[in-house]
Amino acid sequence: MRYLSLFSGIEAASVAWEPLGWEPVAFCEVDAFPSAVLAHRWPDVPNLGDITKVDWSEYARGKRKPDVVVGGSPCQSFSVAGNREGLAGESGLMFEYIRAVQCIMPGCFVWENVPGAFTSEDGEAFRQLLSEMDALGYGLAWRVLDAQFFGVAQRRERVFLVGCLGDPRRAARILFEPDGLRWDTPSSREKRQELAARAGRGPAGEGGAVAKTLQVRCGCEGGGKGALVQDDMSATLSTSQTQTVFAPVCLGDDNAKAACDVDMCGALKVGGSAPIMGGAAYEVRRLMPVECERLQGFPDGHTDLTGADPDALFERMAREDMDEAERKKLRTRLRKWCKACPDTPRYKACGNSMAVPVMRWIGERIAMTEGGR
């Protein structure tokens, strides 16, 4: 099975699907660091670059035609943590995803985004996506999948929209398992509280002897609002005034470029300052890049370019439309990244990626339902 990856990032789809025997026909990524990772890890797969400038007609037929188009268009202006600009912001690149599918007409497509896509512009943005794909003849199914239930240590809810050309039942079979669904499953918070209680490690007042020994000060440097850890040993991090709380550990510092939010097993996010937590017996550190890779299900060192050949990467990445200043800048960056790869772009690349185990599950479901099975 062949696939085309749009908004590729560091290619969670390829890490997930190549073990299934699938073949990437092309990537489409414009940011320099993820593009360098692609050039290093998949030197023989073309990166088409700026999606707004791609002519998709050559992928609409013949050996280059993919069976699946996959991609998560930018989520920043859909996210509830952003400015909620909707399709007027970066998330408007959703139309480029639609244009690619419209031209190529693959048998199946997978679109990923944040749950905020449901409510952006009072639901109009997502309705427009559904309307456009329905008009092309795709049967559609969508579902919010949480990476914590696929074997990674973060709560990461994402919307997945699957379209199958002329076959709405197959789309539903890919995303849903009706024979195995329970509708009375307790929430993840309730489950964590239950496990903490069994271990005798619940919060203060519930036999939480451990909690009594783990008093730490939690808040942002210089006072002001910080993070309050509540409820259990895998507790929620919420915004609050600085105060003494009970907590085992928090990963992050005021200079971190990646952090876990929502709760102590929260979603991996990009940029911004993370809460500072400290205490007499405990020191707090930031996430390491390799931990960010693991949080998304990537192999260790997937985003580490140290030791790669910068000249070889330059030959794969340089475009004909680059002027001399752009080429010089790219060379300088590649030499820096290949000499000692910095943490910051690795954090960003991991935070913007999909979770590999979720993508693998979707790929397995696509393969399982191929041919009407």
Side-chain angles (χ1 to χ4, degrees), residues 1 3 13-23 359-368:
M1 191 168 298
Y3 62 94
S14 289
V15 175
W17 291 351
E18 284 186 340
L20 304 179
W22 294 23
E23 175 189 357
M359 296 305 296
R360 183 175 293 118
W361 182 82
I362 291 175
E364 290 170 345
R365 302 287 296 177
I366 291 173
M368 185 184 72

Side-chain angles (χ1 to χ4, degrees), residues 179-308:
D179 294 336
L181 289 179
R182 281 184 56 187
W183 303 105
D184 59 344
T185 305
S187 72
S188 57
R189 173 175 290 185
E190 291 170 343
K191 185 65 176 178
R192 291 195 304 272
Q193 290 174 335
E194 177 188 346
L195 293 174
R198 287 180 186 176
R201 298 176 66 179
E206 297 180 13
V210 174
K212 295 179 181 178
T213 66
L214 294 178
Q215 291 192 25
V216 297
R217 192 75 177 173
C218 174
C220 290
E221 192 170 32
K225 291 189 175 181
L228 175 62
V229 185
Q230 300 172 327
D231 292 334
D232 61 17
M233 292 296 293
S234 181
T236 298
L237 286 175
S238 60
T239 302
S240 178
Q241 296 297 324
T242 301
Q243 55 188 287
T244 300
V245 296
F246 300 111
V249 71
C250 177
L251 300 178
D253 63 23
D254 62 330
N255 294 314
K257 297 300 181 183
C260 286
D261 63 3
V262 180
D263 69 2
M264 295 296 288
C265 184
L268 180 65
K269 64 180 182 179
V270 181
S273 295
I276 296 175
M277 299 177 67
Y282 294 89
E283 294 296 330
V284 180
R285 61 173 178 82
R286 64 180 180 177
L287 288 166
M288 297 183 295
V290 69
E291 291 175 309
C292 294
E293 292 166 344
R294 292 173 183 175
L295 282 169
Q296 294 285 47
F298 284 99
D300 289 2
H302 180 76
T303 59
D304 189 359
L305 297 177
T306 304

Side-chain angles (χ1 to χ4, degrees), residues 91-103:
S91 299
L93 286 171
M94 179 188 80
F95 291 113
E96 290 296 329
Y97 184 95
I98 294 172
R99 181 175 71 89
V101 172
Q102 185 178 39
C103 183

Side-chain angles (χ1 to χ4, degrees), residues 333-357:
R333 282 180 164 184
L334 290 174
R335 286 170 182 164
K336 175 184 176 182
W337 294 337
C338 294
K339 182 179 180 180
C341 195
D343 291 351
T344 297
R346 296 178 66 187
Y347 287 142
K348 181 178 179 182
C350 290
N352 281 333
S353 183
M354 305 175 193
V356 171

